[in-house]
């Protein structure tokens, strides 16, 4: 082994030893039972009889992919990611060490045939690591849905995949550079890059940004998991939502799409509102990953952007990322309470979307700064404009607002929300 390899091995040992003595970071978690919000659910049937992605159908906004039935739902405040950072560093060392062993060591003195074998070995290992990301994610989500894994641990797994996917992609770029040194030999990693990008969505990127923040800057996150998938929702400047359906991914089946145009047509069926012609601004594109039978469909519309990954094996949506301007989302239900000289109202949006809490003076109608709590847990301040956007829990919950002069509370019931079709 080269001195470089010895150093890498020693460094990994130190990192691993450090991981063993570190405890997981603490997170405040509020769990609620999952219930329907009254919106319509439709199942897109595929050629696989036991598979199909469940969508929440909404009028005046995008349909949204759901995680599946019997879901576990929690709201958390995202916190420190020290443990994840150390795991990410360890993964980077491991990937680098493997590529040093398989490719870089001895490459300069090898024949062209030997170099080809070295590059293929390095590429095969990186593909295995890419598959391990998906396996790790599925295991963590299903364990969380079964209440066998904490939300902290689940988010650490997703964050770890975020970092490792970036490490693998950089290693692939290095491998392409080595392949280019071999006469008559080339290596394409375009499809691999598209598989890896799914682990670096806008939602996960935002989670990484807020990891080091504290206090008022920390962001609330809604986590929903089921045996068949998960949904992450984050409310910041925009409403970010990511869903993956494991039962809509099958690489062993023949491709259900004739071509990329056929896949784009299926996206139009799944998300009809997105592709309506009367949007003031609209554009879309489709990219095919042939080796992985994945089709990335992106569309810009009046309320934001949709990125959907359709699986060729099932012909359905495998992953979905939506960035939405929550202020543009239509209200499906309004509840209001009047007490103690105050008016408390909440405007709910479709498909497990964010809600706006408004507090005003009962006599003048002027906005009132207030502290808002859900089930006795403080969730934010309305501020001088009397309005606060939040991610509500599933099911029924108690809503309370406190001002300098009084307080008001009410119970929000999921049965109050009408179906979008009504």
């Amino acid at each position: 082994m080269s001195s470089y390899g010895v150093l890498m091995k020693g460094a990994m040992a130190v990192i691993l030893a450090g991981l063993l003595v570190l405890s997981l970071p603490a997170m405040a978690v509020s769990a609620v039972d999952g219930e329907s919000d009254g919106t319509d659910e439709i199942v897109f049937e595929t050629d696989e009889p036991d598979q199909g992605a469940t969508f929440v159908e909404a009028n005046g906004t995008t349909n949204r992919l759901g995680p599946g039935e019997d879901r576990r739902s929690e709201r958390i405040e995202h916190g420190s990611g020290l443990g994840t950072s150390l795991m990410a560093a360890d993964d980077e060392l491991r990937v680098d060490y493997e590529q040093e062993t398989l490719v870089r060591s001895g490459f300069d003195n090898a024949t062209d045939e030997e170099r080809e074998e070295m590059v293929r070995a390095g590429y095969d290992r990186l593909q295995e690591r890419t598959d391990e990301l998906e396996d790790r994610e599925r295991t963590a989500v299903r364990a969380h849905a079964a209440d066998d894994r904490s939300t902290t641990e689940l988010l650490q797994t997703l964050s770890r995949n975020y970092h490792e996917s970036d490490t693998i992609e950089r290693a692939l770029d290095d491998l392409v550079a080595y392949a280019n040194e071999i006469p008559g030999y080339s290596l394409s990693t375009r499809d691999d890059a598209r598989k890896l990008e799914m682990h670096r969505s806008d939602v996960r990127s935002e989670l990484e940004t807020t990891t080091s923040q504290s206090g008022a800057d920390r962001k609330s996150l809604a986590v929903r998991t089921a045996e068949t998938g998960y949904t992450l929702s984050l409310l910041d400047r925009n409403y970010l939502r990511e869903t993956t359906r494991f039962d809509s991914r099958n690489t062993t089946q023949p491709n259900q799409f004739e071509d990329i145009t056929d896949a784009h047509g299926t996206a139009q069926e799944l998300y009809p509102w997105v592709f309506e012609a009367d949007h003031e601004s609209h554009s879309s594109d489709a990219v095919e990953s042939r080796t992985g039978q994945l089709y990335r469909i992106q569309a810009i519309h009046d309320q934001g952007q949709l990125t959907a990954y359709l699986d060729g094996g099932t012909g359905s949506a495998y992953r979905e990322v939506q960035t939405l301007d929550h202020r543009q989302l239509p209200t499906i239900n309004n509840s209001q309470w009047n007490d103690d000289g105050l008016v408390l109202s909440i405007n709910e949006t479709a498909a497990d979307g964010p809600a706006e809490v408004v507090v005003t003076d009962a006599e003048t109608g002027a906005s009132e700064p207030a502290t808002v709590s859900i089930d006795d847990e403080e969730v934010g301040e309305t501020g001088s404009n009397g309005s606060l956007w939040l991610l509500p829990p599933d099911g029924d919950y108690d809503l309370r607002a406190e001002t300098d002069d009084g307080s008001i509370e009410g119970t929000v019931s999921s049965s109050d929300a009408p179906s979008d079709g009504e």
Side-chain angles (χ1 to χ4, degrees), residues 359-391:
V359 182
T360 57
D361 183 280
E363 292 187 4
T364 66
S367 299
E368 286 283 345
T371 300
V372 179
S373 300
I374 290 179
D375 291 336
D376 296 324
E377 179 186 344
E378 185 177 323
V379 294
E381 307 278 345
T382 61
S384 58
N385 63 356
S387 172
L388 171 69
W389 281 91
L390 52 80
L391 294 177

Side-chain angles (χ1 to χ4, degrees), residues 19-93:
L19 287 172
L20 291 175
V21 299
L22 283 174
S23 59
L24 294 174
M27 287 179 130
V29 179
S30 172
V32 295
D33 294 330
E35 296 183 14
S36 170
D37 66 354
T39 50
D40 296 332
E41 289 192 348
I42 58 173
V43 176
F44 181 75
E45 299 294 340
T46 72
D47 291 349
E48 288 293 297
D50 295 329
Q51 295 177 335
T54 305
F55 280 81
V56 182
E57 187 178 39
N59 291 330
T61 186
T62 68
N63 290 348
R64 295 169 206 168
L65 186 62
E69 299 179 356
D70 301 322
R71 68 192 185 188
R72 173 182 172 186
S73 178
E74 296 188 356
R75 293 166 51 251
I76 71 162
E77 188 176 65
H78 189 53
S80 173
L82 175 61
T84 305
S85 299
L86 289 173
M87 284 189 291
D90 178 54
D91 288 329
E92 184 172 0
L93 288 172

Side-chain angles (χ1 to χ4, degrees), residues 230-242:
Y230 70 87
T231 296
L232 302 178
S233 301
L234 183 71
L235 186 61
D236 191 20
R237 293 177 299 277
N238 291 300
Y239 173 48
L240 306 179
R241 190 176 188 277
E242 171 185 336

